[in-house]
Amino acid sequence: MKEKIEFQAEPITTKDIELFSSATLSQHSSFPLTFPTRYRKAEFEFLILLNINMRNLLHTEQEYSYQSPLVVGDKPLVVSQLKENKERRGMRFITIETQLICNGEKKVTSESTFVVREAAEKE
Amino acid sequence: MWELKQRLSPLVKPALTEELLSLYASASGDPNPIHLDPQFAREAGFPSVIAHGMLSMAFIADGLCANFSENKYKVEKLSTRFKKVTFPGDVLTVQGEIKKIQPDGRLLISLWTENQKGEITSTGEAEVYSI
């Protein structure tokens, strides 16, 4: 089981921002704070590798720390790590941390937490 | 000047629609069919497709930015817990309150979304400072 997945994303374009703002009905920021959710591809790869049934998956918590602003033209290196994969009280808790790094500068760190109902089913 | 326990101006978002969920799935790259495929959602135990939790977080972020202009404030942290599933037709309102004012002026803000029944569907926290 991999514990780290990384990929090089395409440069952020103005069109990406406009599409995301439109899809989130965002009107009060030029660069939506949750835009980094676009880089959760590795998270889904982890969930597939863990053989998680998407019907049983609940995204329960999300956290972002902003070290430096992302801007149009940034080409993020996306590094995701599996931080937790534990079963408690019959449910599986999965936490994945993702860092967006542009030209060696860490810009955003995110943490996604999921709960898998009926965790035993996927074993 | 913000004061402790001061309420933020609420932000009422338009009703969630299946079209918006489809647009969000495309814009965010979230492939989970529970947000798009009614049959899949029913098999998961829901009466219809459910909205992405991250869409609620995006609403929270917009409510935060509506009160703390990006020209005057920088957001350092934003977190959200998804408490209750939301569906097409739900109308979410973003609310917030100043939870703590740090000695250096940084603000810790409690945020939440309520649906049209007044039920809290997500809660969050943000840390911002004046620039």
Side-chain angles (χ1 to χ4, degrees):
Chain A
M1 173 69 200
K2 289 184 195 176
E3 294 199 344
K4 185 187 275 190
I5 297 175
E6 64 179 62
F7 68 95
Q8 182 68 62
E10 293 296 311
I12 299 168
T13 66
T14 302
K15 193 176 174 188
D16 293 334
I17 304 299
E18 288 171 353
L19 177 63
F20 194 84
S21 295
S22 170
T24 54
L25 308 174
S26 296
Q27 299 174 312
H28 298 96
S29 59
S30 58
F31 200 112
L33 289 168
T34 62
F35 182 83
T37 193
R38 280 174 54 93
Y39 304 109
R40 290 173 54 213
K41 184 176 89 171
E43 291 183 17
F44 296 110
E45 286 185 27
F46 273 122
L47 296 172
I48 290 166
L49 287 171
L50 290 167
N51 199 26
I52 300 299
N53 182 341
M54 298 289 257
R55 287 182 179 84
N56 297 336
L57 181 71
L58 288 175
H59 186 185
T60 55
E61 196 167 345
Q62 181 72 32
E63 187 174 311
Y64 289 111
S65 298
Y66 305 96
Q67 286 91 35
S68 179
L70 281 172
V71 294
V72 168
D74 274 349
K75 189 177 175 186
L77 172 67
V78 183
V79 182
S80 293
Q81 278 185 287
L82 186 62
K83 301 280 284 189
E84 185 182 38
N85 176 24
K86 288 183 181 165
E87 197 167 329
R88 293 196 297 265
R89 302 186 299 275
M91 293 189 289
R92 184 166 293 272
F93 292 79
I94 298 168
T95 302
I96 300 166
E97 181 192 88
T98 297
Q99 291 187 345
L100 303 186
I101 301 163
C102 303
N103 292 322
E105 182 185 14
K106 197 192 294 182
K107 292 217 162 183
V108 181
T109 304
S110 71
E111 205 168 272
S112 304
T113 301
F114 302 91
V115 172
V116 185
R117 303 172 292 167
E118 303 171 39
E121 180 187 312
K122 49 150 212 53
E123 292 295 351
Chain B
M1 192 70 174
W2 290 94
E3 295 178 0
L4 197 62
K5 298 198 176 200
Q6 185 176 344
R7 291 292 290 266
L8 274 55
S9 297
L11 180 66
V12 184
K13 305 299 283 190
L16 297 172
T17 63
E18 290 185 19
E19 291 74 20
L20 183 64
L21 303 193
S22 178
L23 187 61
Y24 183 77
S26 171
S28 67
D30 186 331
N32 194 336
I34 205 164
H35 306 299
L36 303 171
D37 180 346
Q39 179 64 29
F40 188 95
R42 279 194 290 275
E43 287 169 10
F46 298 106
S48 72
V49 293
I50 63 173
H52 306 74
M54 287 302 297
L55 188 52
S56 291
M57 187 173 190
F59 287 179
I60 280 182
D62 202 37
L64 179 69
C65 293
N67 283 271
F68 296 91
S69 156
E70 61 186 357
N71 298 325
K72 295 181 180 174
Y73 292 91
K74 183 177 184 308
V75 179
E76 265 193 324
K77 286 186 179 175
L78 179 65
S79 62
T80 302
R81 284 187 175 189
F82 309 114
K83 311 288 263 188
K84 191 172 176 65
V85 172
T86 58
F87 300 94
D90 281 349
V91 177
L92 300 182
T93 301
V94 182
Q95 304 269 15
E97 182 181 278
I98 304 298
K99 184 177 177 184
K100 193 172 184 180
I101 301 175
Q102 307 277 24
D104 64 1
R106 280 165 203 267
L107 302 171
L108 185 60
I109 302 152
S110 293
L111 296 147
W112 63 95
T113 52
E114 295 174 0
N115 63 17
Q116 64 281 6
K117 298 174 188 165
E119 300 166 325
I120 292 176
T121 58
S122 62
T123 60
E125 276 192 1
E127 277 185 48
V128 307
Y129 64 89
S130 177
I131 52 177

